[in-house]
Amino acid sequence: MTAVHHLPSLGFGGFPLYNSAGLWQMLWWHMGPTEFIYYWLHRALHHQFLYSRYHSHHHASFVTEPITGSVHPFMEHLLYTANFAIPLLGPFFQGGASVSMFYVYLLAFDVLNAIGHCNFEFVPRWFMRIPGMKYLIYTPSYHSLHHSRVHANFCLFMPIYDHLFGTVHKTSDTLYEKAITGQAAPKTPPDVVFIGHGTNLVSLFHLPFMLRSFSSRPFEPKWWLAPFWPFCVLVMFVMRSFGKVFISDKHRLRSLRMETWVTPAWAIQFFFKSQWKFINGKIEEAILEADAAGVRVLGLGALNKNEALNGGGKLFVDKNPNLKTCVVHGNTLTAAAVLKKIPPNVEEVFVTGATSKLGRAISLYLAERGVKVTMLTASTERFQKIYDEASPKAQARIVHATKIEAGANCKDWIVGKFCSQKEQATAPSGTTFHQFVVPPLQEFRSDECSYTDLPAFALPGDTKYFNTCEMTMERGCVHACHAGAVVHALEGWDFHEVGAIDHTRIDQTWDAAIKHGMVLK
């Protein structure tokens, strides 16, 4: 449409950008002729002869979604187009047409059409309680009754004609009240909730309700998303001011009901200490909400359990000692996933990020099993604390290193922090880089070196409703920490998994995951 305005000889060049009188004329033509004609046309389409041949196609959607509003047979589209042109042609012949009129009407039309078919009630009660408003604008619940009851609520956007001609369904008002207060359908709490967060700013579009086709594939920033950066920045600030943890997806594994929730924060915000109070506050709200609802296990994903942020979730458990919901960071299974990719006959490993939760647990586990572990860390104090945790036998196999060159002769690197091209070049030819660093390493080495994928699991084959991808994972696959929360629920464990990883439980957690059909990726 924008291009048309600039094409010669089409008559648009003389339109002013804005004409307030024309906008009022447009509104009058819509409220009068268009709404009235649509009402009777719609009723006619519900006559058995026309319904069976045309309109039943639209009603094939018993559970509607926004795109349903545009799904019609070709002949219906022609009729609708002629009717919907009236509010644009009327001001044109009255001399009130403007460029903005076309944009206002077409955009408002599509938005209202999508709202009516979104199958989610969100129009606030205060708005619908404005005198006369129930006659001027419909709600998602109002139009849902047209799809479920068929011979009622025929209006386009304005229920006034349903009221005038007696076709309002008698439950319209009560359904709205039930829907807006969450009582329209029985709400069964999930057994497991996993809380993630945004990564790249444009990961906003990887949410299932944003771009379904995009979210059905592993996340990868695309060039065509670049123009949406300003919009994403705006959303980030709005979510910072008004956002709360929200549901992004629902799944099922046998009798286990699972949901994925999202913290209203992006990865960049976690690196600013000034944002920690806000982020922790939102996570705590979600934990308390889950606890009140009866959720059995709540898993913390990615940076939501950052050690500096909240001690791997320990902050929330210490602050709320009476939680019935088990808070789980899932890193015990993550550690197991990293360890299972290390050859069983390995004699020596070099660990970066060695004093992190995962680095500590992996180092202690391997040292207890006879592997020499060189731990790279600049902090003697943090190294000594982990060293003191080890048994005397394991202490003999733990070595402190402060320079990357200490790994020059080791072919098994366990990488838990960023590793530059120069640092990777220190490793000998044929090295395997076992990763638990986020984001994963850029693969600079090609001289017989290999890089393992980030720890992840394919869920059992009888898992349902995984129609979208968990960030960079393939469909049906989840990060190891997510799988850890699911295993926690499947096993019926009733303890919190927060703070430091108990490396003595790594084998037990791994065995439980395999027993329940998890497959290491």
Side-chain angles (χ1 to χ4, degrees):
M1 188 171 72
T2 301
V4 170
H5 289 315
H6 297 283
L7 292 176
S9 305
L10 289 179
F12 293 121
F15 286 172
L17 180 63
Y18 175 78
N19 185 326
S20 60
L23 293 178
W24 284 109
Q25 292 165 1
M26 176 194 73
L27 182 61
W28 185 90
W29 284 103
H30 176 86
M31 294 174 65
T34 292
E35 285 280 351
F36 181 79
I37 292 171
Y38 178 87
Y39 173 82
W40 285 107
L41 172 61
H42 195 180
R43 286 193 67 171
L45 287 168
H46 276 259
H47 185 278
Q48 184 177 354
F49 180 83
L50 293 176
Y51 187 84
S52 61
R53 288 166 174 77
Y54 296 100
H55 199 55
S56 58
H57 177 67
H58 176 69
H59 277 268
S61 298
F62 292 107
V63 179
T64 60
E65 54 187 43
I67 195 65
T68 304
S70 301
V71 177
H72 300 282
F74 179 67
M75 290 304 296
E76 280 191 46
H77 276 297
L78 291 180
L79 292 170
Y80 293 150
T81 300
N83 186 27
F84 302 153
I86 292 173
L88 301 177
L89 292 173
F92 173 76
F93 288 114
Q94 289 180 285
S98 65
V99 173
S100 60
M101 177 189 75
F102 291 94
Y103 286 97
V104 168
Y105 187 73
L106 295 178
L107 289 173
F109 191 100
D110 282 346
V111 168
L112 287 170
N113 197 19
I115 286 173
H117 292 88
C118 74
N119 204 39
F120 177 79
E121 189 56 78
F122 65 91
V123 181
R125 297 169 84 184
W126 64 264
F127 181 77
M128 294 310 297
R129 286 174 176 172
I130 296 174
M133 191 56 65
K134 64 180 289 185
Y135 304 108
L136 298 178
I137 193 74
Y138 72 170
T139 64
S141 60
Y142 184 91
H143 192 69
S144 72
L145 280 169
H146 176 69
H147 279 262
S148 61
R149 299 295 185 263
V150 184
H151 298 296
N153 296 12
F154 291 100
C155 77
L156 178 55
F157 303 136
M158 301 174 64
I160 186 170
Y161 294 105
D162 279 314
H163 285 276
L164 286 174
F165 298 109
T167 51
V168 177
H169 196 275
K170 61 183 181 181
T171 65
S172 297
D173 292 340
T174 54
L175 179 61
Y176 169 77
E177 287 296 326
K178 288 181 178 179
I180 199 65
T181 55
Q183 301 173 29
K187 187 174 181 180
T188 305
D191 299 294
V192 183
V193 165
F194 180 74
I195 305 183
H197 61 76
T199 53
N200 183 301
L201 273 180
V202 295
S203 65
L204 169 69
F205 291 100
H206 202 252
L207 290 166
F209 52 79
M210 290 297 288
L211 287 177
R212 178 72 70 172
S213 60
F214 186 49
S215 66
S216 67
R217 298 177 178 86
F219 175 71
E220 181 184 356
K222 300 291 186 179
W223 64 267
W224 48 267
L225 286 172
F228 293 97
W229 268 69
F231 171 75
C232 294
V233 171
L234 175 63
V235 171
M236 182 175 71
F237 281 107
V238 170
M239 294 296 282
R240 174 62 179 83
S241 300
F242 306 105
K244 61 175 290 185
V245 173
F246 58 91
I247 301 171
S248 72
D249 222 343
K250 297 182 179 182
H251 323 289
R252 196 173 186 93
L253 173 56
R254 300 160 203 155
S255 62
L256 207 65
R257 296 178 298 274
M258 304 184 294
E259 291 183 359
T260 299
W261 296 1
V262 180
T263 306
W266 279 255
I268 190 171
Q269 292 171 263
F270 287 83
F271 294 97
F272 291 91
K273 198 169 183 179
S274 60
Q275 300 298 302
W276 289 2
K277 182 178 179 180
F278 165 76
I279 295 170
N280 277 333
K282 295 303 176 183
I283 297 172
E284 184 176 9
E285 283 179 13
I287 291 172
L288 295 176
E289 180 181 332
D291 190 59
V295 174
R296 289 164 50 197
V297 175
L298 185 140
L300 299 174
L303 295 172
N304 285 323
K305 58 190 173 196
N306 180 269
E307 187 68 27
L309 179 69
N310 53 47
K314 192 171 184 298
L315 171 71
F316 309 119
V317 173
D318 290 346
K319 191 175 177 181
N320 303 280
N322 297 319
L323 286 174
K324 298 181 288 296
T325 297
C326 295
V327 180
V328 173
H329 56 45
N331 280 342
T332 308
L333 187 57
T334 303
V338 175
L339 288 162
K340 290 300 176 181
K341 293 187 178 183
I342 299 172
N345 59 347
V346 70
E347 295 181 353
E348 180 182 1
V349 296
F350 179 69
V351 185
T352 73
T355 59
S356 65
K357 284 197 300 290
L358 282 164
R360 166 195 161 277
I362 290 168
S363 298
L364 290 172
Y365 181 94
L366 290 172
E368 296 287 354
R369 283 154 182 79
V371 178
K372 179 184 176 183
V373 179
T374 302
M375 300 176 65
L376 178 65
T377 174
S379 173
T380 302
E381 181 183 352
R382 295 185 70 176
F383 169 80
Q384 191 64 42
K385 185 177 179 181
I386 296 171
Y387 180 85
D388 291 341
E389 288 185 68
S391 68
K393 182 179 70 171
Q395 286 178 344
R397 303 185 183 95
I398 298 177
V399 178
H400 183 202
T402 57
K403 295 184 177 180
I404 197 77
E405 287 76 16
N409 298 314
C410 181
K411 290 193 173 184
D412 283 283
W413 282 35
I414 302 175
V415 185
K417 64 182 296 186
F418 173 77
C419 199
S420 67
Q421 183 175 4
K422 181 179 179 182
E423 290 170 329
Q424 290 182 42
T426 308
S429 178
T431 293
T432 299
F433 294 92
H434 306 276
Q435 303 184 70
F436 63 91
V437 58
V438 179
L441 296 179
Q442 188 171 349
E443 299 181 10
F444 293 112
R445 297 290 297 273
S446 58
D447 50 339
E448 299 182 356
C449 291
S450 59
Y451 296 77
T452 63
D453 295 327
L454 290 177
F457 286 85
L459 293 170
D462 52 352
T463 306
K464 298 179 180 179
Y465 315 128
F466 262 92
N467 300 318
T468 56
C469 295
E470 183 169 291
M471 290 309 295
T472 57
M473 304 285 110
E474 295 290 338
R475 266 191 282 182
C477 298
V478 296
H479 294 90
C481 57
H482 190 167
V486 175
V487 170
H488 205 96
L490 288 169
E491 284 292 294
W493 291 333
D494 59 358
F495 56 86
H496 299 293
E497 183 191 339
V498 295
I501 298 171
D502 183 355
H503 67 280
T504 65
R505 291 186 56 86
I506 288 176
D507 287 334
Q508 180 185 0
T509 305
W510 170 262
D511 291 341
I514 299 306
K515 178 181 73 174
H516 289 292
M518 306 282 181
V519 178
L520 181 64
K521 297 299 287 182

